Amino acid sequence: HELFNEVNLKKIPKDKKLIVVCHTGTRAAAATMALRAVGFMNAFMFKGGIIELSAEAGRSVVGVLW
């Protein structure tokens, strides 16, 4: 909900690619679509989230402390 605060939206660059990532990709998909709806056509998401990213990297995120 804080992402779409006007002050925070002004901090997001429009001249660079934005990669939105969450754990499974569901929230990232919603945030990416919402960002695009308000003019951030440079917003993209990593399909499958951190889980898929870690699988592609050959690692498991289960049990990892952040």
Side-chain angles (χ1 to χ4, degrees):
H1 66 281
E2 292 184 28
L3 175 62
F4 294 97
N5 175 306
E6 186 176 340
V7 172
N8 292 333
L9 284 174
K10 288 181 180 180
K11 296 177 185 178
I12 301 172
K14 290 191 174 188
D15 62 336
K16 299 178 182 178
K17 286 185 181 178
L18 302 175
I19 307 300
V20 183
V21 182
C22 71
H23 190 72
T24 64
T26 304
R27 288 169 293 172
T32 301
M33 288 190 321
L35 283 166
R36 286 177 163 247
V38 296
F40 289 92
M41 302 314 288
N42 59 332
F44 301 91
M45 62 166 283
F46 191 90
K47 185 177 178 182
I50 295 293
I51 292 174
E52 186 65 28
L53 180 61
S54 66
E56 287 200 19
R59 298 187 176 131
S60 173
V61 293
V62 178
V64 175
L65 298 175
W66 300 97

